[in-house]
Structure formats: C-alpha cells, structure tokens
Amino acid sequence: MVERISVLVEKQRVEIKDLPGRITHTDSDQILPGVASVFDRGMGFNEAVEQYQRALIFHALNETGWVKARAAQLLKMNRTTLVEKIKKIDLEPEPEMPVF
C-alpha cells in the first residue's frame, strides 16, 4: 500500500487526504457525511438511506475480507438477504492495484 501511494501521489509528501477511505475511517460514523451535509447536497431521504445502507454493507464486507457469511453476522442479517442486497446495489470489491 505504501509503495502504491508513493507512486500515485505526485507530491513529495503523502498526506492523510491521499490515503484511501478504508484506511482513514475507523468509526462507522465517519463513513458518511453528517445529516446536515445530506441536506446541503439536496439529497432526498431515500437516496440518503440507500447511500448509508451501501456504506454499511461495503464496510462490513471489507472488515470480513468479503466473506459474505461473516459480513451478514456482523450486520445481524441473513446471508441470503445480504447477497440479494449486494446484487441489488451492484456492489463489488475494490480492484487490487498491481504490485510492481
């Protein structure tokens, strides 16, 4: 990861903002912007809920190495329900960057 970032960042110094979100966010509260920011963006209720749901599922999958059964346990839902939601929102793991 460090090598990849050092190649991708054009500046001499790597800053926190250069790191991927999964590295800088430690609490689920930090995954999405606050409620006020949802209103500032003109986002409706359904869109905000869908975005939050997507972030929760994505976070749980990343935490469990994309093992759906473990992610479902973490989210306290049935595995089949999780699989249906993943398909519905077309969620895929972030592609791995090639290592040189």
Side-chain angles (χ1 to χ4, degrees), residues 43-84:
M43 197 181 299
F45 177 80
N46 290 336
E47 185 180 355
V49 169
E50 287 171 16
Q51 193 175 28
Y52 187 68
Q53 181 179 36
R54 180 181 182 88
L56 280 173
I57 292 170
F58 190 73
H59 184 72
L61 288 166
N62 282 332
E63 286 289 313
T64 60
W66 281 74
V67 177
K68 294 177 182 99
R70 288 180 45 214
Q73 285 178 334
L74 188 63
L75 293 166
K76 298 182 182 1
M77 66 171 43
N78 291 327
R79 183 189 171 281
T80 53
T81 304
L82 177 61
V83 170
E84 289 172 12

Side-chain angles (χ1 to χ4, degrees), residues 8-96:
L8 294 175
V9 174
E10 295 176 1
K11 300 173 290 196
Q12 194 142 29
R13 175 184 247 169
V14 176
E15 298 175 12
I16 298 275
K17 66 180 182 174
D18 298 320
L19 300 174
R22 66 179 185 269
I23 302 295
T24 59
H25 299 307
T26 55
D27 296 331
S28 59
D29 293 344
Q30 295 175 326
I31 294 172
L32 287 176
V35 174
S37 133
V38 168
F39 296 130
D40 291 342
R41 293 180 181 185
M43 197 181 299
F45 177 80
N46 290 336
E47 185 180 355
V49 169
E50 287 171 16
Q51 193 175 28
Y52 187 68
Q53 181 179 36
R54 180 181 182 88
L56 280 173
I57 292 170
F58 190 73
H59 184 72
L61 288 166
N62 282 332
E63 286 289 313
T64 60
W66 281 74
V67 177
K68 294 177 182 99
R70 288 180 45 214
Q73 285 178 334
L74 188 63
L75 293 166
K76 298 182 182 1
M77 66 171 43
N78 291 327
R79 183 189 171 281
T80 53
T81 304
L82 177 61
V83 170
E84 289 172 12
K85 289 182 180 294
I86 291 169
K87 287 179 184 175
K88 182 179 177 184
I89 61 178
D90 194 28
L91 198 58
E92 295 180 9
E94 293 178 345
E96 289 292 320

